[in-house]
Amino acid sequence: MARTAKKERILMPEEKLAQALVLDEDGTNSIPDNWEWIKLQAISQIRTGKKDANYGTPDGQYFFFTCAAEPIRCDGYSFEGKAILLAGNGDISNISIYEGKFEAYQRTYVLNIIPSLNTEFVYYYFKYRWVDYNIDKMFGTAIPYIRLGNLQEFPIPLAPFAEQQRIVDRIESLFAKLDEAKEKAQAVVDGFEDRKAAILYKAFTGALTAEWRRVNGEPLSWDKVLFGSIILNGPQNGLYKPKTAYGQGTKILRIDGFYDGYIEPWDTLKRLTLNEEEKAVYLLQINDIVVNRVNSMPFLGKSALIRFLPEPCVFESNMMRIAIDQDKARPEYVIKYLNSSLGLAELRKNAKQAVNQASINQKDVKAVFIPLPSVGEQDEIVSLIDRLIGEETHAKEIAEQVIDQIDTMKKSILARAFRGELGTNDPSDESAVELLKRIL
C-alpha cells in the first residue's frame, strides 16, 4: 500500500499566539502592562545571504553587505526592501539597517520585519541587547558564530504600534543631540595636535612672548645659532649589545622608550648586562638630551630630555646623547624646540634616505639652527608652553571622557526605551497582544 504524504497540521490562532509569546528575558515584569515579550521569528522573515566574500565589483549597481566590512557595490541583488542585517559570525556587534536592493554574504543574517511593525524599533533593540544576549550562546572556537535557532528565539519586547514609533522618534531625537555633542568633542580631540603645533610655532617665532618682551623692555632680537655652539658634550652615539645581553642588569633607553620629549614609564624600560667600562661611557645624566638618529622619516629625530633618573640607565646605539651648556640655553627650552615642527624640520633637513629608513649623523645635529632668546625669555617660553599645552591636554582628556560617556548614555537611553521609561508610553494604546493576534 502506497504511503501518503503527512499533512502539516494547521495551527489555530490561539496556538500561534502561545508559540509567539515568551516570558520576559529577566523573568520579571520589566515592561509596561500593554507590552508583550515575543520571539523574533513571530514577527520576521529570517534569511541568510548566499554570496561568498569575493563577490561584488566596485562598479556594480547594488549594495553588497558582509559581516566584516562596509558595503561595496555589486552587479545584482537577491534582497529588496527594508532589512536589518546582522553579522552571523565574527564581530556580532556589526548591526545595520538598509532599504533598497542588495546582496549579502553567506554569514549575514537578513531580517525582514513584517510590514505592520516598525523595523527601526526592532533594529534599536538589537543594538541594545543582541551582543549581551549572545555572550554565552556562541558556537565554534576560531571564529564563533550564531545559530539560526538562537536568532529565532531572541526575545523582543513588543510595544503597541503607535508606541513603537514614539520610541523610535524619541531615541533618534536624543541620539541626534548626543551625536552633535560627540562630534564637537571629537573635533577637540582631533584638533589637539594642530593646536599644540600652533602653540610651539608661536613660541619659537617670538609671538608667544610678545607681551612679556613689551613688559620687560626686551626687543625681538633673537640670535639664530648652530646647535653645536650650545653643546657642552656630544653628540655621542649609544651602545650596541646583542639580544643575549638583555634580561637583567642595568636599564637601557631604546627608541621605543620615549615620545614627544618625555621618557615612557620607567618600569617599561628593558635591562641588559654591562661591564663597568660600558657603564662609565654610556650612563645618562640628568638634563641630557637624546636624539633618534636612525628610523623611518616620520620618527627620525624624535628626542627626549632626561628629567630624572630613578636608577642608572644607558642608551642604545640608534640614538645620540647631548649635554647642553646651561649658561647659554635651558635644556627644557631646547627639547621643546626640537619637538616642534620647526625643530624637527631642522633635524631632518640633511637626512640620508635609504630603503624604509633615514638617518642623521653627529655633524647633521650640530648644524641644526636654534632660535635663542635671552635665558629669561627662554624660561618664560617654557612656562607658557607648559601652561597652554597643559590646558589643551586637559580639554582633550575631558573631550575623550565625553565621547566615552556618550556611548554609555546611548545604551542607557536604549535600556530605558525598552522598559517603557522614556515617558512616551500611553496605557490607553491597544495592547501588544491584540496587535500580535492580527499579525498572526
Side-chain angles (χ1 to χ4, degrees):
M1 184 176 178
R3 297 180 63 183
T4 57
K6 184 178 180 180
K7 292 184 178 180
E8 184 175 346
R9 189 171 71 85
I10 298 175
L11 295 176
M12 298 299 290
E14 294 79 5
E15 293 176 295
K16 289 183 178 180
L17 183 62
Q19 288 189 6
L21 295 174
V22 294
L23 292 175
D24 70 80
E25 57 180 329
D26 298 319
T28 61
N29 186 21
S30 57
I31 55 176
D33 291 339
N34 57 349
W35 295 29
E36 289 293 340
W37 285 101
I38 62 167
K39 297 173 186 175
L40 176 66
Q41 63 184 353
I43 60 167
S44 66
Q45 179 187 24
I46 304 173
R47 293 175 288 172
T48 57
K50 303 300 180 185
K51 302 298 183 181
D52 65 36
N54 297 318
Y55 180 78
T57 62
D59 298 323
Q61 185 178 3
Y62 304 111
F63 279 122
F64 170 48
F65 285 86
T66 74
C67 294
E70 291 295 319
I72 60 173
R73 308 294 286 188
C74 64
D75 55 7
Y77 69 96
S78 299
F79 302 96
E80 184 173 5
K82 185 183 289 187
I84 298 170
L85 297 112
L86 308 172
N89 64 354
D91 180 13
I92 65 168
S93 66
N94 189 341
I95 304 167
S96 59
I97 188 169
Y98 182 74
E99 185 169 10
K101 299 173 182 179
F102 61 95
E103 270 297 352
Y105 170 55
Q106 57 194 311
R107 277 294 186 181
T108 300
Y109 284 115
V110 180
L111 278 59
N112 294 110
I113 307 303
I114 58 177
S116 52
L117 295 181
N118 191 304
T119 299
E120 284 79 5
F121 177 84
V122 180
Y123 163 74
Y124 280 118
Y125 188 70
F126 267 96
K127 295 290 284 186
Y128 163 57
R129 195 72 183 99
W130 181 238
V131 173
D132 290 342
Y133 175 78
N134 283 288
I135 285 177
D136 58 353
K137 296 181 177 62
M138 301 283 283
F139 293 86
T141 52
I143 304 179
Y145 64 92
I146 302 291
R147 283 183 176 172
L148 175 61
N150 284 2
L151 187 56
Q152 292 171 327
E153 296 292 316
F154 183 50
I156 301 284
L158 183 65
F161 182 75
E163 173 65 358
Q164 293 175 35
Q165 187 60 54
R166 289 194 294 265
I167 285 176
V168 169
D169 290 344
R170 181 63 62 86
I171 287 173
E172 292 182 345
S173 173
L174 293 171
F175 276 21
K177 294 176 182 177
L178 290 174
D179 287 340
E180 183 180 357
K182 185 174 183 178
E183 185 177 343
K184 291 178 179 178
Q186 191 64 54
V188 172
V189 174
D190 294 342
F192 171 75
E193 291 299 332
D194 288 340
R195 295 191 302 276
K196 178 180 172 183
I199 291 169
L200 292 174
Y201 182 84
K202 290 174 67 177
F204 298 111
T205 56
L208 198 62
T209 44
E211 178 62 16
W212 182 90
R213 288 194 303 275
R214 187 190 68 78
V215 171
N216 289 274
E218 288 199 15
L220 178 56
S221 57
W222 294 9
D223 293 326
K224 202 171 186 181
V225 304
L226 289 172
F227 196 6
S229 68
I230 61 170
I231 292 177
L232 191 62
N233 291 305
Q236 177 194 352
N237 292 355
L239 171 72
Y240 171 77
K241 297 287 281 187
K243 289 183 179 180
T244 53
Y246 283 81
Q248 296 181 340
T250 305
K251 290 278 190 179
I252 182 168
L253 180 62
R254 295 153 51 96
I255 59 171
D256 58 356
F258 59 96
Y259 175 75
D260 205 22
Y262 289 85
I263 308 300
E264 293 292 295
W266 195 256
D267 58 3
T268 64
L269 302 187
K270 297 182 182 297
R271 295 181 181 274
L272 79 171
T273 302
L274 300 173
N275 59 45
E276 292 305 314
E277 182 180 353
E278 290 169 328
K279 290 181 184 179
V281 174
Y282 297 104
L283 280 177
L284 291 166
Q285 304 295 327
I286 297 293
N287 287 322
D288 279 350
I289 288 175
V290 290
V291 178
N292 179 208
R293 65 182 185 88
V294 181
N295 212 323
S296 59
M297 186 58 81
F299 300 101
L300 181 69
K302 74 169 187 170
S303 56
L305 176 64
I306 308 302
R307 294 175 173 87
F308 68 101
L309 283 167
E311 61 179 281
C313 180
V314 296
F315 61 107
E316 71 171 346
S317 61
N318 54 10
M319 63 180 72
M320 305 177 199
R321 174 180 61 185
I322 298 163
I324 302 297
D325 184 344
Q326 296 186 49
D327 290 334
K328 298 178 180 179
R330 302 294 197 221
E332 195 71 55
Y333 173 85
V334 174
I335 195 61
K336 284 177 165 54
Y337 172 73
L338 294 178
N339 279 277
S340 71
S341 59
L342 297 171
L344 284 169
E346 281 290 316
L347 282 167
R348 295 168 182 167
K349 66 184 180 183
N350 294 317
K352 288 80 178 172
Q353 295 276 5
V355 179
N356 296 325
Q357 71 175 18
S359 64
I360 52 177
N361 58 34
Q362 296 175 5
K363 182 179 178 181
D364 297 330
V365 171
K366 288 181 178 180
V368 166
F369 280 106
I370 295 182
L372 200 68
S374 67
V375 171
E377 191 167 357
Q378 289 180 44
D379 289 338
E380 180 67 11
I381 288 171
V382 168
S383 176
L384 287 173
I385 289 174
D386 286 343
R387 178 173 65 80
L388 294 173
I389 292 183
E391 290 172 355
E392 291 292 345
T393 301
H394 182 61
K396 174 174 170 281
E397 291 170 349
I398 291 175
E400 289 171 337
Q401 292 172 11
V402 167
I403 292 170
D404 291 340
Q405 289 168 357
I406 284 173
D407 292 336
T408 302
M409 290 170 68
K410 281 189 172 183
K411 190 159 187 177
S412 175
I413 288 169
L414 292 176
R416 292 172 57 207
F418 295 106
R419 291 196 302 263
E421 296 175 355
L422 287 183
T424 58
N425 193 57
D426 185 351
S428 66
D429 281 342
E430 177 189 52
S431 169
V433 170
E434 299 303 319
L435 174 61
L436 192 57
K437 285 179 180 178
R438 287 201 306 276
I439 291 170
L440 298 177

